[in-house]
C-alpha cells in the first residue's frame, strides 16, 4: 500500500510560494530515479505526466459520493453521470451500481466499465475548464502539472486536501488503457475473457466517451417504432459495438434487418442472440417467426415451442397454415396436378411464407406446366434474392435439396424460352448440388439431349436438308413435348417443303404453349397467305402489326393481304401501291374523293390530311415524319394541302393554324390535331392504322 502524503497547511491565507516550492522539492527527493526537467509540460500527450506507483504525490480529490469515474469531462468531482440510470430489466447490458454505495468500495477496486480519462492531462488551465462541476475552495494545485524536478508550471495556487491514497498510472490491463489514472493506488484486475462467462458479460454496461449502450438501444427502439429501420439499425450496431455480449441488442438488430427486408441477416442475428443466451425466449420466438417466412417450418417449430413460455397464438396459426399448404403443395406436385400445385404454393406464400424462394419457384414451375410461359418467366423476377444460408443448403423441398430445386426449375424455363445453353448450365448446377436425386438426374440428361437435337436440326436447316431437320426437331420434341421453339423450328421446315398444313399445325402447337410467340404467328400468317386464306392471314398480320409497329415487312405483308382480300370479295381497290409518297391535293374535288373512298369491307378506310404552309418552320420540321409514317402505315392514305395555294379547302375545313392534321375514317372526320408533337402525331396515326 502506498504511503499517505502529509497535508500542507494553508493557514487560512495565501501560502508562501518559496516555502511551497521547498516543501515539494523535499518530497520529491525520495524518488528512486529522477527524470530531466521539462521547460514546458506537453499538454497534448495522451499519457498523463503522473508517475507510476513509486510515491509520487498527486492532488486528485475524491469525494464520498463517487459512483463511477469521470468520462473525458475533466471534472475533479466524482458526481454520478446523469446518463447512467440503473435498469434491472433483462439483457439491458447496463452496469449495476449496487457495489458503489460507499467510497470504501470504490477505493478498493476499480469498477468495470470505466473509460480512460485523458482530459486530466489537459487540466493545466484549471480555471478555464467548463466541465468542472464543483467550485474550488482555497488554493488548489491543478492535477498533473507537477514537473519531475518539483517546479510548478502555474503559480499562485495552493494544494487542496488530499485523498487517503495517491493515484497511479495504469499499465493497460482490464478496462483501463495504458496511462489511465488508477484511484487509490490499487491495480486493475485483468478481466480475462476466458474467465468471464456470457451471463456476466450481459450484466455490464460498457461506457465509452460517456455513451451508454442502453440509451442507444432505447433510441433505436423509438426509431424502429417510427418505421425508421435504417436509423434503428445504426443505433443497434453502436450498442452492440459497446456491449457485444448482449443478446437483446442482437435480437433488436434482427427486427430492424427484417424491416429492411434483409431476412437471412436477421436470422443470423437471432441465432447469435440464442447462442449468447440460450434461455432468451424472445429471440427464440423471433427466430421461429423468421423461419416460417422462409418456409422452414420444421426448424421454426423448435424455436416457437420454448419451454416455460406461452406460444404466440398468431405465430401458431401462421405456422399451422403454412405447414398445411406446404404439405398439400407437395402432394399435388407428386401427381402432376399443376393447378393444385399452383393453388397451394400461392396459399403458402399468402399464409406467411412470403420469403421462401422455393415456393416462388414452385409457382413458376406450375405456370410453365400449365403453358403460361410469360407468367412463369415473370414469376422468376419475383423470387426473393437471398444470400446463401446453411439451413437452406441442408433443407429439401419436394425431396430435392432446396438450392438444387431452384436451378431445376430455372433450367426448365430457360429451355422453354429457347435458351438451351442457359438451360444446360442451370441443370448442371442442380446436378452438382444434388447428384443423387433421380429427378435432377433425369432432367439433366433430357436437357442435354434436347439441346443437342436442336443444334443438329439448326445445322441441317442451314444446309437446306429440311427433311432431316424435321426429324432432328422431332427427336427433341419426343423428349420435351411442350417446347414451343422446337415446334416453330419444325414448322419452318414444313413450310420450305411445301407442307403448309403441317406448318400451320406446328405453329398452332407453339402458340398454344406460348400465345404471344411472334415468330410462330409470323410463320402461320405466311402459310395462310400461301394457301390464299386471306382473312386468316390479315387477322394474323394485324396482330403482328400491333406487336411490331416498326417492322416494315409486316406492314407490307398486311397491305398485300388486305388488297388480296378485297379482290377476293370483288371489291374495287384504288391504291395498289405500297409505301407510296404523300399525295398532294391539287383541288377541292380531288380532296373530297380522297377522303370519301368507298369501303364495302369491314376494313376501315383511313385518310390523314396534312394542312401545311411552305413558309412555316414547324411544317418543315414535321414533314419528314409524315413521309416516314406514309411508308410505315401503307394502309392509310396520306394527303397534304398547301393552304396558301388552296385557301378554299382550308376555309371549307375551317383550318386557321398550321400545321393541322385531320384524320378521316370512312369519309367522316374522327380527329383533329393542331401543331402536334412528333410523338402525338405518330401515336394518333398508329391508333387508326388498324
Amino acid at each position: 500500500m502506498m504511503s499517505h502524503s502529509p497535508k500542507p497547511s494553508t493557514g487560512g491565507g495565501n501560502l508562501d510560494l518559496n516555502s511551497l516550492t521547498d516543501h515539494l522539492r523535499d518530497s520529491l527527493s525520495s524518488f528512486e530515479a529522477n527524470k530531466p526537467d521539462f521547460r514546458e509540460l506537453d499538454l497534448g500527450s495522451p499519457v498523463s505526466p503522473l508517475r507510476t506507483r513509486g510515491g509520487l504525490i498527486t492532488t486528485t480529490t475524491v469525494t464520498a459520493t463517487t459512483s463511477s469515474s469521470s468520462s473525458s469531462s475533466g471534472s475533479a468531482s466524482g458526481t454520478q453521470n446523469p446518463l447512467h440510470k440503473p435498469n434491472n430489466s433483462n439483457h439491458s447490458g447496463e452496469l449495476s451500481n449496487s457495489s458503489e454505495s460507499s467510497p470504501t468500495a470504490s477505493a478498493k477496486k476499480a469498477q468495470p466499465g470505466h473509460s480512460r480519462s485523458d482530459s486530466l492531462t489537459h487540466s493545466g488551465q484549471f480555471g478555464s475548464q467548463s466541465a468542472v462541476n464543483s467550485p474550488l475552495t482555497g488554493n488548489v494545485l491543478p492535477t498533473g502539472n507537477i514537473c519531475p524536478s518539483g517546479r510548478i508550471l502555474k503559480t499562485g495556487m495552493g494544494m487542496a486536501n488530499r485523498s487517503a491514497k495517491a493515484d497511479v498510472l495504469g499499465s493497460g490491463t482490464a478496462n483501463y488503457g495504458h496511462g489511465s489514472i488508477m484511484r487509490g493506488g490499487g491495480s486493475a484486475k485483468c478481466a480475462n475473457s476466458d474467465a468471464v462467462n456470457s451471463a456476466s458479460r450481459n450484466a455490464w454496461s460498457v461506457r465509452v466517451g460517456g455513451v451508454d449502450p442502453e440509451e442507444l438501444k432505447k433510441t433505436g427502439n423509438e426509431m424502429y417504432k417510427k418505421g425508421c429501420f435504417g436509423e434503428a439499425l445504426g443505433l443497434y450496431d453502436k450498442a452492440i459495438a459497446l456491449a457485444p455480449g448482449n443478446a437483446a441488442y442482437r435480437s433488436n438488430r434482427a427486427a430492424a434487418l427484417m424491416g429492411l427486408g434483409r431476412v437471412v441477416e436477421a436470422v443470423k442475428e437471432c441465432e447469435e442472440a440464442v447462442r449468447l443466451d440460450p434461455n432468451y425466449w424472445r429471440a427464440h420466438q423471433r427466430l421461429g417467426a423468421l423461419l416460417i417466412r422462409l418456409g422452414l417450418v420444421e426448424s421454426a417449430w423448435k424455436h416457437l415451442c420454448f419451454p416455460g413460455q406461452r406460444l404466440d397464438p398468431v405465430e401458431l396459426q401462421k405456422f399451422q397454415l403454412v405447414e398445411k399448404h406446404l404439405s398439400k403443395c407437395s402432394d399435388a406436385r407428386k401427381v402432376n396436378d399443376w393447378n393444385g400445385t399452383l393453388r397451394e404454393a400461392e396459399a403458402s406464400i399468402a399464409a406467411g411464407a412470403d420469403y421462401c424462394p422455393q415456393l416462388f419457384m414452385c409457382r413458376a414451375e406450375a405456370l410453365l406446366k400449365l403453358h403460361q410461359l410469360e407468367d412463369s418467366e415473370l414469376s422468376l423476377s419475383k423470387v426473393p434474392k437471398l444470400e446463401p444460408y446453411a439451413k437452406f443448403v441442408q433443407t429439401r423441398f419436394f425431396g430435392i435439396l432446396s438450392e438444387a430445386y431452384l436451378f431445376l426449375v430455372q433450367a426448365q424455363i430457360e429451355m422453354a424460352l429457347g435458351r438451351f445453353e442457359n438451360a444446360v448450365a442451370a441443370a448442371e448446377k442442380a446436378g452438382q448440388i444434388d447428384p443423387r436425386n433421380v429427378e435432377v438426374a433425369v432432367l439433366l440428361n433430357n436437357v442435354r439431349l434436347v439441346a443437342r437435337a436442336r443444334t443438329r436440326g439448326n445445322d441441317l436447316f442451314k444446309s437446306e436438308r429440311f427433311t432431316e431437320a424435321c426429324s432432328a426437331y422431332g427427336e427433341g420434341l419426343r423428349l420435351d413435348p411442350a417446347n414451343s421453339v422446337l415446334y416453330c423450328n419444325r414448322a419452318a421446315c414444313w413450310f420450305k417443303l411445301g407442307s403448309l398444313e403441317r406448318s400451320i399445325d406446328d405453329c398452332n402447337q407453339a402458340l398454344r404453349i406460348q400465345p404471344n410467340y411472334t415468330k410462330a404467328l409470323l410463320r402461320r400468317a405466311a402459310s395462310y397467305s400461301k394457301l390464299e386464306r386471306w382473312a386468316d392471314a390479315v387477322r394474323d398480320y394485324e396482330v403482328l402489326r400491333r406487336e411490331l409497329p416498326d417492322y416494315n415487312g409486316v406492314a407490307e405483308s398486311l397491305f398485300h393481304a388486305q388488297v388480296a382480300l378485297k379482290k377476293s370479295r370483288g371489291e374495287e381497290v384504288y391504291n395498289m401501291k405500297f409505301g407510296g409518297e404523300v399525295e398532294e391535293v391539287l383541288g377541292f374535288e380531288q380532296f373530297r374523293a380522297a377522303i370519301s373512298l368507298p369501303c364495302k369491307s369491314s376494313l376501315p378506310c383511313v385518310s390523314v390530311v396534312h394542312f401545311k404552309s411552305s413558309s412555316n418552320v414547324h411544317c418543315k420540321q414535321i414533314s419528314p415524319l409524315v413521309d416516314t409514317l406514309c411508308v410505315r402505315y401503307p394502309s392509310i392514305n396520306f394527303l397534304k394541302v398547301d393552304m396558301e395555294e388552296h385557301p378554299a379547302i382550308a376555309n371549307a375545313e375551317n383550318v386557321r393554324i398550321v400545321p393541322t392534321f385531320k384524320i378521316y375514317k370512312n369519309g367522316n372526320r374522327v380527329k383533329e390535331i393542331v401543331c402536334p408533337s412528333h410523338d402525338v402525331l405518330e401515336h394518333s396515326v398508329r391508333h387508326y392504322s388498324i
Side-chain angles (χ1 to χ4, degrees), residues 645-656:
E645 296 181 5
H646 305 284
I649 299 176
N651 291 333
E653 293 298 315
N654 196 25
V655 177
R656 299 287 181 267

Side-chain angles (χ1 to χ4, degrees), residues 195-213:
V196 181
N197 56 39
S198 61
S200 63
R201 284 200 306 269
N202 290 340
W204 299 109
S205 172
V206 182
R207 291 176 181 267
V208 176
V211 179
D212 184 358

Side-chain angles (χ1 to χ4, degrees), residues 484-534:
S484 59
V485 175
L486 295 179
Y487 277 117
C488 187
N489 287 3
R490 193 170 69 174
C493 295
W494 293 129
F495 185 86
K496 291 290 185 179
L497 293 170
S499 300
L500 300 177
E501 293 293 345
R502 284 188 172 185
S503 178
I504 292 172
D505 289 341
D506 276 354
C507 287
N508 288 337
Q509 287 289 342
L511 290 167
R512 182 181 62 85
I513 298 168
Q514 190 176 350
N516 294 328
Y517 195 2
T518 55
K519 189 176 288 187
L521 190 63
L522 185 62
R523 284 175 180 166
R524 189 175 71 176
S527 297
Y528 282 144
S529 296
K530 284 280 187 180
L531 292 171
E532 296 185 358
R533 294 167 57 175
W534 300 116

Side-chain angles (χ1 to χ4, degrees), residues 599-672:
C599 187
K600 300 177 183 178
S601 70
S602 59
L603 297 174
C605 295
V606 180
S607 299
V608 177
V609 183
H610 176 201
F611 293 90
K612 59 186 282 293
S613 172
S614 57
S615 60
N616 186 274
V617 176
H618 195 178
C619 291
K620 293 179 180 179
Q621 292 175 345
I622 206 167
S623 290
L625 175 62
V626 178
D627 295 335
T628 301
L629 295 175
C630 181
V631 175
R632 187 175 296 172
Y633 301 98
S635 60
I636 296 179
N637 300 319
F638 284 87
L639 309 172
K640 56 183 178 182
V641 177
D642 193 318
M643 291 180 57
E644 296 175 351
E645 296 181 5
H646 305 284
I649 299 176
N651 291 333
E653 293 298 315
N654 196 25
V655 177
R656 299 287 181 267
I657 303 173
V658 292
T660 293
F661 290 84
K662 294 194 177 187
I663 301 176
Y664 300 84
K665 186 175 181 180
N666 295 334
N668 299 316
R669 187 175 66 217
V670 293
K671 192 174 184 66
E672 180 176 346

Side-chain angles (χ1 to χ4, degrees), residues 404 407-433 440-455 480 483:
F407 285 113
L408 180 138
V409 177
Q410 182 183 349
Q412 295 178 72
I413 295 175
E414 294 285 3
M415 191 161 63
L417 292 170
R419 300 193 284 254
F420 292 90
E421 292 78 9
N422 294 348
V424 172
E428 287 177 346
K429 287 182 180 178
Q432 293 169 2
I433 296 169
V440 172
V442 170
L443 176 76
L444 176 58
N445 184 59
N446 284 356
V447 168
R448 285 172 173 168
L449 291 175
V450 171
R452 193 178 303 164
R454 177 252 192 178
T455 301
D480 185 12
N483 195 294

Side-chain angles (χ1 to χ4, degrees), residues 339-352:
N339 282 307
T341 302
L342 177 62
R343 181 177 61 254
E344 296 301 330
E346 291 179 338
S348 299
I349 294 171

Side-chain angles (χ1 to χ4, degrees), residues 150-173:
R151 297 178 57 189
I152 301 173
L153 180 66
K154 193 123 178 147
T155 61
M157 293 187 181
M159 296 180 63
N161 291 336
R162 300 284 318 215
S163 62
K165 295 183 180 181
D167 293 346
V168 297
L169 296 178
S171 58
T173 60

